[in-house]
Amino acid sequence: MWERSLKLSDLLSRKPKMSSFYLRWILLSALWIAGSQMQVINQRSYTTSVGLAFMLKCNDDSEMQNVSVSWSLVPDRSLENIKGINISGNTLWFLPAELSHSGSYSCLSREGDDSWKTIFNVSVENETCPCANREDEATSIEHIDCLLPHIFEIDPQAQVTWRNDCLPLNVTNSKVFPINRSRDMVGLYTCFVSFTFGGQNYSAAQTTTIHSTSRDFVVTRPEIIYPKNDEKKKVTLGESYTLNCKALVGKNDNGETFIYWSSDSLDVFDLIIFSSVKEGDQDYKLAALHIPKVTEEYLYINLTCIVQHPAGTDSRRVILIPASQNERYYWIGLGMVALLILLCGVAFLFRVDLVLTYRAVCSSSAVSSDGKLYDAYVSYLHGDQHSSSSAMTFALEFLPAVLEGLYGYKLFISGRDELPGEAVHDVIADRMSRSRRLIIILTSQSCVSPQTNATKSLLPDKLPKSELKLKETNTSYEKIWAAYEQQVGLYDALVKQGLKVILVQVEDGVEEALLPESLRYISRTKGILKWRQNAGDRAKGRFWKYMRYQMPPAKRQKSQELTIL
């Protein structure tokens, strides 16, 4: 059996005289409060082999006066009708042990208002000799005792045989095995005892490890890393909460470190989740106290994390307090503000798609009823040069094919929609006043040296108060037409604020620094849409999507979609 009997002074001075994992944990913090019930938790572990008889004892015989004991298989399962298990008051016998007996067994002891629980972790292995359950240092002892006194009390005539590393030795009927303080005796020594109990023959065994220890061997006590002592945790009633405790395992702990949570008024052992972790060359034990639903009984009580080892003990106390409702509302409000900011950010990033989707879904309500006849007035540079040719191609072919043919816009395009004999300035002023947008198509000819008179006459920034007189200049009639169109439109957009301008660049060479100040202002505030004839941009591509975004709402007409525009 896995048992330990060692004084702390012996442990600190040399390797412990045991190899069994036997731990009796007693809470060090104050466990008594008025009207409360004392809870003491003990933890022990045992390892044995198949076919061997062994016994679990819940309490020492001297402690059994006025104490009642109940046994169960964790968690709270009856031991009745389990083959090979016999309960006799304070003891639980395995006659003999089987592989199916491996598990955890609980012994609950009660004395008046006090109660304590002992958990026995039993492991049954399919080995001839059981694992070592105690240790001794070779140079400090003269002999090994067969520590099965309860067997000899049952059957004083029990027969004893010895084995070294599970090999038979020529020693019989002796409860002791001589060592003579020799380092050559290092190894595993097992005593087998054959005895009679209840008219049946059984065998029991106990293994001792004889080892040699260096002079610098030292055992250190464990230390809790977190939580901090007397730490207060804010919790919300009705919600779940987990308290985590982490402890550094001491040097040469021999697997005897145990960590758990305890309360001065509640039994919380069944709520603990145990685990171990290795970080670098350091070993840690963890205990998580998971409270499924926080109730008032968990508030303002001492919840203590305890880590224990024969070399020493450490503990930390935590108190749960209710979270302030104001604080809760603060975090809720902060979360809503963060969500609102996130939604605004998403809306900004996808504003174009959102606006176009709204127009498509609510087309009737989106269409403006301002009395305007045209959705946009298209101004471009007329002529036969290459740059004006690209502007004319876009203005007379691609632009109406998409906006008019596919999306139902109505455009006034200079050079296409005028009536013969109409005065230039009258046509421009009238049509532009009846349009919702002004589309200015920019080419490299829109940007010439700022010192030339041609630029000044092409795109003047200010509309003269008196009627503009078209005079013969070095510039063509088409350039003057485009310049006057843009004069009127920009004056209406910037001064009257009644017309929105859309700048479209159809070829390279447009330098913003060489544009008139009015166009530079619109470029900085609204941007310039760039179109490429050979870019393979479809009618539903990025350029046309942003063009439709800057255009007013319009009902879409049935039309064949253009493949590449």
Side-chain angles (χ1 to χ4, degrees):
M1 288 178 292
W2 200 241
E3 189 170 49
R4 176 183 62 81
S5 57
L6 182 68
K7 295 181 179 179
L8 182 58
S9 58
D10 295 334
L11 181 66
L12 298 177
S13 62
R14 58 180 176 85
K15 181 86 173 181
K17 189 183 283 187
M18 45 89 190
S19 61
S20 55
F21 189 65
Y22 167 63
L23 297 174
R24 182 178 179 87
W25 308 112
I26 301 177
L27 301 181
L28 299 180
S29 59
L31 298 177
W32 286 99
I33 59 175
S36 68
Q37 181 178 350
M38 178 179 176
Q39 298 284 340
V40 179
I41 301 173
N42 305 302
Q43 179 94 356
R44 303 178 186 177
S45 293
Y46 292 82
T47 302
T48 189
S49 295
V50 173
L52 296 178
F54 79 100
M55 177 192 70
L56 301 179
K57 180 179 286 189
C58 186
N59 304 287
D60 293 336
D61 293 333
S62 59
E63 301 174 353
M64 287 305 299
Q65 187 176 4
N66 299 324
V67 175
S68 61
V69 174
S70 60
W71 291 88
S72 63
L73 181 63
V74 177
D76 297 329
R77 292 173 53 191
S78 175
L79 294 176
E80 295 181 1
N81 302 323
I82 297 181
K83 182 181 177 180
I85 293 182
N86 185 8
I87 301 175
S88 179
N90 189 47
T91 59
L92 179 67
W93 279 93
F94 294 80
L95 298 170
E98 299 178 4
L99 291 175
S100 60
H101 291 158
S102 295
S104 297
Y105 297 82
S106 172
C107 173
L108 180 61
S109 303
R110 297 183 183 276
E111 183 181 14
D113 291 334
D114 302 334
S115 66
W116 59 96
K117 180 185 294 185
T118 305
I119 304 297
F120 297 89
N121 298 313
V122 177
S123 176
V124 181
E125 300 177 345
N126 194 16
E127 301 289 344
T128 301
C129 296
C131 294
N133 53 25
R134 63 186 300 271
E135 294 183 4
D136 272 317
E137 214 283 325
T139 60
S140 63
I141 61 172
E142 295 180 351
H143 60 266
I144 304 173
D145 293 314
C146 185
L147 295 178
L148 297 171
H150 56 289
I151 301 297
F152 297 115
E153 291 178 3
I154 294 173
D155 185 1
Q157 304 301 321
Q159 300 296 310
V160 181
T161 58
W162 287 87
R163 294 193 179 202
N164 177 217
D165 295 332
C166 218
L167 298 176
L169 295 172
N170 191 21
V171 178
T172 58
N173 267 346
S174 175
K175 298 179 183 179
V176 297
F177 184 82
I179 293 296
N180 299 326
R181 298 185 179 180
S182 172
R183 293 185 181 273
D184 297 334
M185 302 299 292
V186 171
L188 297 174
Y189 292 86
T190 305
C191 67
F192 280 85
V193 180
S194 300
F195 67 102
T196 301
F197 180 51
Q200 299 291 327
N201 294 324
Y202 300 100
S203 295
Q206 183 262 327
T207 301
T208 301
T209 299
I210 302 299
H211 62 88
S212 178
T213 305
S214 60
R215 294 182 179 181
D216 58 351
F217 180 84
V218 63
V219 178
T220 60
R221 72 182 185 90
E223 179 184 358
I224 292 180
I225 305 301
Y226 59 77
K228 299 178 181 179
N229 197 30
D230 292 329
E231 188 173 0
K232 292 180 173 59
K233 299 284 189 179
K234 295 182 178 180
V235 295
T236 302
L237 290 175
E239 296 183 359
S240 62
Y241 193 79
T242 300
L243 284 171
N244 294 300
C245 184
K246 181 178 182 180
L248 173 65
V249 176
K251 293 182 179 179
N252 302 309
D253 85 307
N254 198 33
E256 296 181 295
T257 301
F258 182 57
I259 185 172
Y260 63 97
W261 283 91
S262 180
S263 168
D264 52 10
S265 60
L266 299 174
D267 183 3
V268 297
F269 187 80
D270 293 336
L271 303 178
I272 306 174
I273 302 174
F274 301 95
S275 61
S276 300
V277 65
K278 189 175 185 65
E279 299 177 3
D281 58 349
Q282 300 285 356
D283 293 319
Y284 296 88
K285 294 280 188 180
L286 298 98
L289 176 60
H290 179 70
I291 304 174
K293 183 178 181 180
V294 178
T295 58
E296 292 186 357
E297 62 181 351
Y298 289 99
L299 301 179
Y300 304 109
I301 63 172
N302 293 327
L303 295 172
T304 306
C305 177
I306 301 173
V307 58
Q308 292 183 318
H309 185 271
T313 304
D314 195 11
S315 63
R316 295 288 188 274
R317 185 170 59 249
V318 176
I319 298 176
L320 301 183
I321 61 175
S324 171
Q325 291 298 318
N326 293 335
E327 182 178 356
R328 183 181 183 183
Y329 294 147
Y330 167 79
W331 288 111
I332 292 175
L334 186 63
M336 294 179 65
V337 171
L339 179 61
L340 181 61
I341 293 175
L342 179 62
L343 292 177
C344 291
V346 173
F348 177 79
L349 292 176
F350 297 95
R351 64 190 184 280
V352 175
D353 299 273
L354 292 174
V355 170
L356 295 181
T357 301
Y358 170 76
R359 291 178 182 177
V361 174
C362 306
S363 57
S364 59
S365 60
V367 174
S368 176
S369 57
D370 54 4
K372 301 284 186 179
L373 180 62
Y374 301 101
D375 291 303
Y377 186 105
V378 182
S379 174
Y380 62 97
L381 187 64
H382 302 59
D384 297 329
Q385 291 113 335
H386 173 72
S387 60
S388 61
S389 176
S390 61
M392 292 176 64
T393 300
F394 176 77
L396 298 177
E397 295 181 15
F398 294 105
L399 193 64
V402 176
L403 295 186
E404 290 183 336
L406 186 59
Y407 295 109
Y409 286 102
K410 186 174 182 180
L411 307 177
F412 182 90
I413 303 176
S414 61
R416 184 194 74 170
D417 298 329
E418 304 91 349
L419 296 176
E422 288 183 309
V424 171
H425 57 278
D426 292 336
V427 170
I428 294 174
D430 176 68
R431 301 300 189 275
M432 203 167 289
S433 64
R434 300 165 68 182
S435 300
R436 299 184 181 91
R437 299 288 188 273
L438 169 62
I439 301 177
I440 298 178
I441 301 175
L442 302 176
T443 65
S444 58
Q445 293 299 310
S446 304
C447 305
V448 294
S449 175
Q451 283 81 17
T452 63
N453 293 328
T455 302
K456 297 179 181 179
S457 62
L458 271 174
L459 300 173
D461 284 342
K462 297 180 180 179
L463 184 68
K465 295 181 180 179
S466 60
E467 177 180 351
L468 179 65
K469 297 181 179 180
L470 300 180
K471 299 179 179 180
E472 293 292 334
T473 63
N474 293 331
T475 60
S476 66
Y477 172 81
E478 291 82 3
K479 292 182 179 181
I480 297 175
W481 177 289
Y484 186 68
E485 285 178 333
Q486 295 172 14
Q487 269 192 345
V488 174
L490 293 176
Y491 176 80
D492 197 22
L494 298 178
V495 179
K496 296 183 178 180
Q497 297 182 352
L499 188 65
K500 294 183 179 180
V501 180
I502 303 174
L503 300 181
V504 180
Q505 178 182 336
V506 297
E507 62 180 33
D508 296 330
V510 177
E511 299 183 21
E512 182 180 345
L514 298 181
L515 292 175
E517 179 63 28
S518 55
L519 292 183
R520 289 203 303 271
Y521 172 78
I522 295 175
S523 174
R524 288 192 301 267
T525 56
K526 302 295 183 180
I528 299 178
L529 297 180
K530 296 182 180 181
W531 177 81
R532 295 291 182 270
Q533 180 176 351
N534 298 324
D537 196 0
R538 299 177 62 85
K540 291 186 179 180
R542 180 181 177 84
F543 170 81
W544 295 108
K545 183 167 66 174
Y546 275 83
M547 170 65 79
R548 291 164 52 211
Y549 172 71
Q550 296 193 34
M551 289 287 290
K555 290 186 178 180
R556 175 175 173 171
Q557 296 178 345
K558 294 182 180 180
S559 176
Q560 295 291 330
E561 181 181 351
L562 302 181
T563 55
I564 297 180
L565 295 173

